[in-house]
Amino acid sequence: MRSNNSLNPSYFSFALFSDYGSLRSLFFSLCLLIYMTIISANVVIILTVCLDKSLHQPMYIFICCLCLNSLYGSAGFFPRFLMDILSDTHFISRPFCFVQMYIVHTYAGNELTLLTVMAYDRLIAICQPLYYYSKMTLRLVMQLLIFAVLYPICFLGYFFYLSTTLTFCGNKLQRIFCTNWSVVQLSCEDTTVNNITGQFVALASIFAPLFFVLYTYLQIVIICRKSSSEFRGKALQTCLPHVLTIVNFCISVICELSLSRYNADEVNPLIIALLSLEFLIIPPISNPLVYGLSLPQIRGVIFKFVKIQ
């Protein structure tokens, strides 16, 4: 009989990492530069919104929280990833694997709910401008932010709990970080409940918010069609960064979900690595750049601060 340890290993191994040889330092430096860029770009937006009183408005508060979430998700991936690049072994303890899984998945869930809340904010600002400040009070903003954080946790918490109770027959993960599906695939048990729960979680935490975003923009388009060209120009200016962020994040989510639909042995490891990195690198870098460069209010404050220095 196999021992209990072989049936339920206390650690997992990332099988996609390989020996980079002389290129190891180059890859490490490149990834460290990307991580530092993510931190710097998001911190600039956060400090800009926090320090300038003219930006203490709902839209900019939501942008600030979006950047905070990018820092949260990056912190759950990059430190460990940088260690793995330099290491000859790529083992991760079972508890830390589930912690990383929780951070990465809640980062994605928070990102989508924050973008949904921002869509509601744009809906009120464009369709009901006279009632905007009476509706989007500080209290409502805080309630929406709490909702954006708790909504994905409520669904993902039970989902991850089911995964932690499984018994595993293997420990090789065909990924460069821990994901729920890659871990569940190693289970010796029937995972039907996990699969059904996963479909429900995907419906509630991904597709439901996206349908609401589509609804808000349908209402905005209807209002814009009935309005003047000047009004449409202002609406486009405020909505374009959000639309770009939504499209970019949806592409990232599609890439990530597509990985769970195929057997890892049938996909080129480089493609798996690139799609995984796209999910965790592109949105955290593009969000501060899109909002920092597209919104004149934020761009003006940043340029003013740079000139003062």
Side-chain angles (χ1 to χ4, degrees):
M1 290 182 61
R2 285 183 292 183
S3 67
N4 186 56
N5 288 336
S6 64
L7 277 177
N8 214 14
S10 60
Y11 64 90
F12 296 104
S13 172
F14 296 123
L16 287 186
F17 283 96
S18 57
D19 184 11
Y20 300 110
S22 60
L23 295 177
R24 179 180 295 184
S25 298
L26 176 62
F27 287 150
F28 175 82
S29 300
L30 179 60
C31 292
L32 180 61
L33 177 62
I34 292 173
Y35 187 34
M36 291 299 101
T37 302
I38 290 173
I39 293 176
S40 302
N42 285 280
V43 167
V44 166
I45 299 298
I46 293 169
L47 291 178
T48 300
V49 173
C50 291
L51 296 179
D52 193 278
K53 292 184 178 180
S54 66
L55 299 180
H56 293 178
Q57 300 178 38
M59 180 174 70
Y60 304 112
I61 294 175
F62 293 140
I63 293 172
C64 181
C65 291
L66 201 65
C67 292
L68 282 170
N69 188 56
S70 294
L71 294 178
Y72 165 71
S74 299
F77 168 70
F78 272 99
R80 171 73 205 193
F81 180 63
L82 292 171
M83 289 174 55
D84 282 321
I85 292 177
L86 294 178
S87 177
D88 294 323
T89 58
H90 308 101
F91 299 119
I92 183 171
S93 66
R94 180 169 171 170
F96 193 80
C97 181
F98 281 105
V99 169
Q100 185 183 58
M101 181 197 309
Y102 175 83
I103 293 175
V104 170
H105 284 70
T106 51
Y107 147 73
N110 292 341
E111 186 92 356
L112 193 51
T113 50
L114 280 170
L115 291 172
T116 304
V117 166
M118 292 171 72
Y120 174 73
D121 174 70
R122 293 300 83 203
L123 176 68
I124 300 299
I126 293 173
C127 298
Q128 302 178 31
L130 298 179
Y131 302 98
Y132 179 73
Y133 288 105
S134 62
K135 287 191 173 185
M136 295 300 296
T137 61
L138 180 60
R139 180 178 180 181
L140 179 60
V141 169
M142 296 305 299
Q143 290 174 343
L144 290 173
L145 290 176
I146 293 172
F147 165 78
V149 173
L150 293 183
Y151 182 80
I153 291 177
C154 292
F155 292 104
L156 292 171
Y158 179 68
F159 188 41
F160 292 146
Y161 169 75
L162 291 176
S163 300
T164 61
T165 60
L166 294 173
T167 300
F168 301 103
C169 292
N171 68 344
K172 289 188 176 182
L173 299 175
Q174 300 298 324
R175 300 298 292 273
I176 56 176
F177 62 91
C178 291
T179 65
N180 185 77
W181 182 244
S182 63
V183 170
V184 169
Q185 285 181 310
L186 299 177
S187 175
C188 311
E189 306 174 24
D190 180 20
T191 59
T192 302
V193 175
N194 298 72
N195 295 335
I196 295 175
T197 305
Q199 293 174 2
F200 174 75
V201 169
L203 180 64
S205 61
I206 298 177
F207 295 104
L210 286 179
F211 278 126
F212 180 80
V213 171
L214 288 175
Y215 166 77
T216 60
Y217 275 100
L218 178 62
Q219 297 300 311
I220 290 173
V221 169
I222 292 173
I223 292 294
C224 287
R225 287 187 61 184
K226 301 177 182 178
S227 305
S228 64
S229 58
E230 182 181 358
F231 182 89
R232 289 196 294 269
K234 290 181 179 180
L236 178 63
Q237 185 183 46
T238 59
C239 289
L240 183 59
H242 183 259
V243 172
L244 292 175
T245 306
I246 282 281
V247 171
N248 178 51
F249 187 72
C250 286
I251 293 174
S252 301
V253 169
I254 291 172
C255 291
E256 178 62 23
L257 291 178
S258 64
L259 292 178
S260 65
R261 301 295 299 176
Y262 298 97
N263 190 334
D265 297 331
E266 300 174 356
V267 183
N268 189 310
L270 180 61
I271 294 178
I272 296 177
L274 290 176
L275 291 180
S276 298
L277 289 173
E278 197 277 344
F279 170 67
L280 288 161
I281 290 178
I282 303 301
I285 288 181
S286 64
N287 288 351
L289 293 180
V290 166
Y291 286 107
L293 296 176
S294 299
L295 295 179
Q297 295 86 346
I298 292 180
R299 187 173 65 247
V301 172
I302 293 175
F303 287 164
K304 183 175 68 174
F305 179 77
V306 171
K307 289 180 180 179
I308 291 176
Q309 298 303 310

